[in-house]
Amino acid sequence: MTEKYNMPDTRGHFGPYGGIFVAETLMPPIQELNAAYQRYMVDPEFIAELDADLKYYVGRPSPLYHAERWSRELGGAQIYLKREDLNHTGAHKINNTIGQALLAKRMGKTRIIAETGAGQHGVATATIAARLGLECVIYMGAVDVVRQSLNVYRMKLLGATVVAVESGSKTLKDALNEALRDWVTNVDNTFYIIGTVAGPHPYPAMVRDFQAIIGREAKQQCLEQAGRLPDALVACVGGGSNAIGLFYPFIDDASVAMYGVEAAGDGVETGRHSAPLCAGRPGVLHGNRTYLMEDDDGEIIETHSISAGLDYPGVGPEHAWLKDTGRAQYVNITDTEALEGFYALTRMEGIIPALESSHAMAYTMKLAPTMSKDKIIIVNLSGRGDKDMQTMAQREGIML
Amino acid sequence: MSRLTGKFAELAKTGRKALIPFITAGDPNPDFTLPMMHAMVAAGVDIIELGVPFSDPMADGPVIQRASERALAHKMSLRKVLALVAEFRKTDQQTPVVLMGYVNPIEAMGYENFANAAQQADIDGVLTVDLPPDEAEECVAMLKARGIDPIFLLAPNSSDERIKLMDVAGSGYIYYVSLKGVTGAGHLNTADVETKLQQIRASTRLPIAIGFGVKDAETAKTVANLGDGVVVGSALISKIEAHQDDLATAQQQIVELLAAMRQAMDS
């Protein structure tokens, strides 16, 4: 690559993807948000406050951990885990919620809303809202409220109002619809913290910029610990925020392969999955053009994944672009394979990963043995598995 | 002159305002819609907005969202809505019909395929909630080339810059969303609408239809005095929802409400 990667354009386009596809009432707040984002992302005071929060409140930098035993067992490339699971609140989500909440504060907004699937983004948002003394309303699909009840309780403890969304498929996409409706109604005092690299511009770029600290740290840590750049990056992709956070600082490093791992659910061939990049086609949903799971009439179809955080019919527009240009490759992992990844990491390294991250682990188990022992893979361990204990115990027939 | 432009010109001559009902095509089932359209015309409406159901209607409130869900349960689709309008045109060549919906079903069909099919079905206007002019260049060009009016929304918080943008990109009429919120929400503030309409009229000569929050004959009359047309949606769909088991009653109540609005607006 000779030219430096410089996406999106000023109107938020990644090639044909991204953009601003919203109802007119949302245009003014989006323009207001975009102006604030452009201004504060280069404001030394804002950056200093954000950096301090990330260091002292979140606990950054998160370690890059050489999983030696697991690497040896798999017999191929050396596996390094980027430990986002060690962040305050247990996942990468807080990198972004702190950034957006600080923006909200500067913009004079007093009320925060967010959508959540697995509940990690909801918890991260409720956490920062509590710390900043902001009113917080979290929208969550009614199905997810049941399967992630622990996180619902955490959000309530933190003072947030959790609204169970009963419309549509009652999962993440419906929570997003409901949050957009709330925003349209309360635009004057409300800041919508989107948790992933989707939504209308500037969200995909802004969330990426807040998450890019993952890749920046990983790059520096890899150079320090291994003396060179990694050969491959692996991360799970639902909306794609942890993946883009890891990938982005490496995009211009052509020698670094990138693998985004989508959720294949029961298997891509069954149609019961959440893998729009692998098996969907371009369309428009939630403010941007990207790959979607839809039927021939353009209606969004229900997705399936064992992990609530990957159960989404769209994906960030930048991933669509990276797929089309071939810069990143997108693969998929079934529920069953993800469980193998979950158990492998738990038993080989004593680290219990989130079911979302387990997809990345499972793909790493396939990829590592195909590479020689002097190669390096960085896998984003985007979240910890505490929130999934109930789901896992239930699968094993154990009542907690 | 397009059918829509002609309609507003004709109304202006007699000092009347357009009554524009919105129903979702295929709600509660596909057989209900066509006779309902004809009955609404008989009740004195001027333009029909026909909702194309979408799985994720982000800008709509619960009433229209449920209407979408009922229609989709009967496999209603953009193609079937186009076929429905073609059927309507067999006996009504006068009443303008505007499709209102979200962009993804149009994307799935392809802009050019859709524009051709819409022309074939003799559609007059297309209002795509989540396709602002900033992203609509290609779609607008395809529609305009076929004599179909692209209709855009303006909101209480729209700037002069946005108003001018709609004036250039849109034709037929502008749909003014009278309140910040989703369809079917709250009560509109007449004074606020009046002030905003003055601002809009300073930048465009397109007729302005006002929607969101029109519930009865009284609000219809009030709103009619402010703009060039009145859109009523959730209030009609609520009647369909309430009488799903007795659709003759639903149709009758819708006709009665529209007739009352017509009378109030003309008095």
Short mmCIF file of all heavy atoms in Angstrom, two decimals, chain B residues 161-190:
data_model
loop_
_atom_site.label_atom_id
_atom_site.label_comp_id
_atom_site.label_asym_id
_atom_site.label_seq_id
_atom_site.Cartn_x
_atom_site.Cartn_y
_atom_site.Cartn_z
N GLU B 161 -30.52 25.97 5.63
CA GLU B 161 -29.71 25.22 4.67
C GLU B 161 -30.42 23.92 4.26
O GLU B 161 -30.46 23.58 3.08
CB GLU B 161 -28.37 24.91 5.36
CG GLU B 161 -27.32 24.30 4.47
CD GLU B 161 -26.17 23.71 5.30
OE1 GLU B 161 -26.10 24.01 6.51
OE2 GLU B 161 -25.39 22.94 4.73
N ARG B 162 -31.01 23.23 5.24
CA ARG B 162 -31.74 21.99 4.94
C ARG B 162 -33.00 22.30 4.13
O ARG B 162 -33.36 21.56 3.23
CB ARG B 162 -32.15 21.26 6.23
CG ARG B 162 -31.02 20.83 7.15
CD ARG B 162 -30.06 19.84 6.57
NE ARG B 162 -30.64 18.57 6.18
CZ ARG B 162 -29.97 17.64 5.51
NH1 ARG B 162 -28.70 17.84 5.16
NH2 ARG B 162 -30.56 16.51 5.16
N ILE B 163 -33.67 23.36 4.48
CA ILE B 163 -34.91 23.72 3.76
C ILE B 163 -34.58 23.96 2.28
O ILE B 163 -35.29 23.49 1.38
CB ILE B 163 -35.57 24.97 4.38
CG1 ILE B 163 -35.98 24.66 5.83
CG2 ILE B 163 -36.79 25.40 3.57
CD1 ILE B 163 -36.39 25.89 6.65
N LYS B 164 -33.49 24.68 2.03
CA LYS B 164 -33.09 24.98 0.64
C LYS B 164 -32.72 23.69 -0.09
O LYS B 164 -33.00 23.55 -1.29
CB LYS B 164 -31.94 25.98 0.63
CG LYS B 164 -32.40 27.38 1.02
CD LYS B 164 -31.30 28.42 0.93
CE LYS B 164 -31.85 29.80 1.29
NZ LYS B 164 -31.17 30.38 2.46
N LEU B 165 -32.12 22.79 0.64
CA LEU B 165 -31.74 21.50 0.06
C LEU B 165 -32.99 20.73 -0.41
O LEU B 165 -33.02 20.17 -1.52
CB LEU B 165 -30.99 20.70 1.13
CG LEU B 165 -30.16 19.49 0.72
CD1 LEU B 165 -29.05 19.90 -0.24
CD2 LEU B 165 -29.52 18.85 1.97
N MET B 166 -34.02 20.72 0.42
CA MET B 166 -35.27 20.02 0.07
C MET B 166 -35.94 20.69 -1.12
O MET B 166 -36.57 20.03 -1.94
CB MET B 166 -36.27 20.05 1.24
CG MET B 166 -35.77 19.51 2.53
SD MET B 166 -35.03 17.90 2.38
CE MET B 166 -34.05 17.88 3.87
N ASP B 167 -35.85 22.02 -1.15
CA ASP B 167 -36.48 22.76 -2.23
C ASP B 167 -35.89 22.35 -3.58
O ASP B 167 -36.61 22.21 -4.57
CB ASP B 167 -36.29 24.27 -2.00
CG ASP B 167 -36.92 25.09 -3.12
OD1 ASP B 167 -38.13 24.91 -3.35
OD2 ASP B 167 -36.20 25.86 -3.77
N VAL B 168 -34.60 22.12 -3.60
CA VAL B 168 -33.93 21.73 -4.85
C VAL B 168 -34.17 20.25 -5.16
O VAL B 168 -34.50 19.88 -6.29
CB VAL B 168 -32.40 22.00 -4.75
CG1 VAL B 168 -31.68 21.48 -5.98
CG2 VAL B 168 -32.15 23.50 -4.57
N ALA B 169 -34.01 19.40 -4.15
CA ALA B 169 -34.09 17.96 -4.40
C ALA B 169 -35.53 17.48 -4.56
O ALA B 169 -35.81 16.58 -5.36
CB ALA B 169 -33.43 17.21 -3.24
N GLY B 170 -36.45 18.08 -3.82
CA GLY B 170 -37.82 17.57 -3.79
C GLY B 170 -38.71 18.20 -4.84
O GLY B 170 -38.39 19.22 -5.43
N SER B 171 -39.84 17.56 -5.06
CA SER B 171 -40.89 18.15 -5.89
C SER B 171 -42.22 17.57 -5.43
O SER B 171 -42.24 16.68 -4.58
CB SER B 171 -40.63 17.89 -7.38
OG SER B 171 -40.57 16.50 -7.65
N GLY B 172 -43.31 18.10 -5.96
CA GLY B 172 -44.63 17.63 -5.52
C GLY B 172 -45.10 18.36 -4.29
O GLY B 172 -45.92 19.25 -4.34
N TYR B 173 -44.54 18.00 -3.14
CA TYR B 173 -44.77 18.74 -1.90
C TYR B 173 -43.68 18.39 -0.90
O TYR B 173 -42.88 17.48 -1.11
CB TYR B 173 -46.17 18.48 -1.33
CG TYR B 173 -46.50 17.05 -0.92
CD1 TYR B 173 -46.35 16.62 0.40
CD2 TYR B 173 -47.00 16.14 -1.85
CE1 TYR B 173 -46.69 15.33 0.78
CE2 TYR B 173 -47.35 14.85 -1.48
CZ TYR B 173 -47.19 14.44 -0.17
OH TYR B 173 -47.53 13.16 0.20
N ILE B 174 -43.66 19.16 0.18
CA ILE B 174 -42.76 18.86 1.29
C ILE B 174 -43.62 18.36 2.44
O ILE B 174 -44.71 18.87 2.68
CB ILE B 174 -41.96 20.13 1.70
CG1 ILE B 174 -40.80 20.34 0.72
CG2 ILE B 174 -41.46 20.01 3.14
CD1 ILE B 174 -40.03 21.61 0.93
N TYR B 175 -43.13 17.34 3.11
CA TYR B 175 -43.84 16.78 4.26
C TYR B 175 -43.20 17.39 5.50
O TYR B 175 -42.05 17.11 5.81
CB TYR B 175 -43.69 15.26 4.24
CG TYR B 175 -44.51 14.50 5.28
CD1 TYR B 175 -45.21 13.35 4.93
CD2 TYR B 175 -44.57 14.90 6.61
CE1 TYR B 175 -45.95 12.62 5.86
CE2 TYR B 175 -45.31 14.21 7.55
CZ TYR B 175 -45.99 13.07 7.16
OH TYR B 175 -46.71 12.36 8.09
N TYR B 176 -43.97 18.22 6.20
CA TYR B 176 -43.44 18.82 7.42
C TYR B 176 -43.84 17.98 8.63
O TYR B 176 -45.02 17.80 8.92
CB TYR B 176 -43.93 20.26 7.60
CG TYR B 176 -43.42 20.87 8.87
CD1 TYR B 176 -42.05 21.09 9.06
CD2 TYR B 176 -44.28 21.20 9.92
CE1 TYR B 176 -41.56 21.61 10.24
CE2 TYR B 176 -43.80 21.72 11.11
CZ TYR B 176 -42.44 21.93 11.26
OH TYR B 176 -41.94 22.43 12.44
N VAL B 177 -42.84 17.46 9.31
CA VAL B 177 -43.04 16.66 10.52
C VAL B 177 -43.24 17.64 11.66
O VAL B 177 -42.30 18.32 12.06
CB VAL B 177 -41.81 15.78 10.76
CG1 VAL B 177 -41.94 15.03 12.07
CG2 VAL B 177 -41.61 14.82 9.61
N SER B 178 -44.46 17.74 12.19
CA SER B 178 -44.80 18.85 13.06
C SER B 178 -44.21 18.76 14.47
O SER B 178 -44.28 19.70 15.22
CB SER B 178 -46.32 18.97 13.17
OG SER B 178 -46.82 17.78 13.75
N LEU B 179 -43.67 17.62 14.83
CA LEU B 179 -43.05 17.55 16.15
C LEU B 179 -41.84 16.64 16.14
O LEU B 179 -41.69 15.78 15.28
CB LEU B 179 -44.07 17.08 17.19
CG LEU B 179 -45.00 15.92 16.85
CD1 LEU B 179 -44.34 14.59 17.13
CD2 LEU B 179 -46.29 16.06 17.63
N LYS B 180 -40.97 16.89 17.12
CA LYS B 180 -39.80 16.02 17.27
C LYS B 180 -40.29 14.73 17.89
O LYS B 180 -40.78 14.74 19.01
CB LYS B 180 -38.76 16.67 18.18
CG LYS B 180 -38.12 17.90 17.58
CD LYS B 180 -37.15 18.53 18.57
CE LYS B 180 -36.91 19.97 18.20
NZ LYS B 180 -36.25 20.71 19.29
N GLY B 181 -40.17 13.65 17.17
CA GLY B 181 -40.63 12.39 17.72
C GLY B 181 -41.01 11.44 16.62
O GLY B 181 -40.73 11.69 15.45
N VAL B 182 -41.65 10.36 17.01
CA VAL B 182 -42.05 9.36 16.03
C VAL B 182 -43.51 9.58 15.67
O VAL B 182 -44.21 10.36 16.30
CB VAL B 182 -41.83 7.94 16.58
CG1 VAL B 182 -40.36 7.66 16.76
CG2 VAL B 182 -42.58 7.75 17.90
N THR B 183 -43.98 8.86 14.64
CA THR B 183 -45.36 9.01 14.21
C THR B 183 -46.32 8.65 15.35
O THR B 183 -46.06 7.74 16.12
CB THR B 183 -45.66 8.10 13.01
OG1 THR B 183 -45.19 6.78 13.30
CG2 THR B 183 -44.98 8.61 11.76
N GLY B 184 -47.42 9.38 15.42
CA GLY B 184 -48.44 9.06 16.40
C GLY B 184 -48.18 9.65 17.78
O GLY B 184 -48.95 9.44 18.70
N ALA B 185 -47.08 10.39 17.92
CA ALA B 185 -46.71 10.88 19.24
C ALA B 185 -47.35 12.23 19.55
O ALA B 185 -47.60 13.03 18.66
CB ALA B 185 -45.19 11.00 19.34
N GLY B 186 -47.59 12.47 20.80
CA GLY B 186 -47.86 13.77 21.40
C GLY B 186 -48.88 14.68 20.72
O GLY B 186 -49.69 14.25 19.92
N HIS B 187 -48.81 15.94 21.11
CA HIS B 187 -49.71 16.95 20.58
C HIS B 187 -48.89 18.04 19.93
O HIS B 187 -47.83 18.41 20.42
CB HIS B 187 -50.56 17.53 21.71
CG HIS B 187 -51.45 16.51 22.34
ND1 HIS B 187 -52.63 16.12 21.79
CD2 HIS B 187 -51.29 15.76 23.46
CE1 HIS B 187 -53.19 15.19 22.55
NE2 HIS B 187 -52.38 14.94 23.56
N LEU B 188 -49.40 18.56 18.82
CA LEU B 188 -48.59 19.58 18.18
C LEU B 188 -48.92 20.96 18.72
O LEU B 188 -50.02 21.25 19.16
CB LEU B 188 -48.74 19.51 16.66
CG LEU B 188 -50.14 19.52 16.04
CD1 LEU B 188 -50.59 20.94 15.82
CD2 LEU B 188 -50.08 18.77 14.74
N ASN B 189 -47.92 21.83 18.68
CA ASN B 189 -48.05 23.19 19.14
C ASN B 189 -48.27 24.10 17.94
O ASN B 189 -47.38 24.31 17.12
CB ASN B 189 -46.78 23.57 19.91
CG ASN B 189 -46.84 24.99 20.44
OD1 ASN B 189 -47.32 25.90 19.77
ND2 ASN B 189 -46.36 25.17 21.66
N THR B 190 -49.48 24.65 17.83
CA THR B 190 -49.87 25.43 16.66
C THR B 190 -48.94 26.63 16.41
O THR B 190 -48.53 26.89 15.28
CB THR B 190 -51.32 25.93 16.81
OG1 THR B 190 -52.11 24.86 17.30
CG2 THR B 190 -51.86 26.41 15.49
#
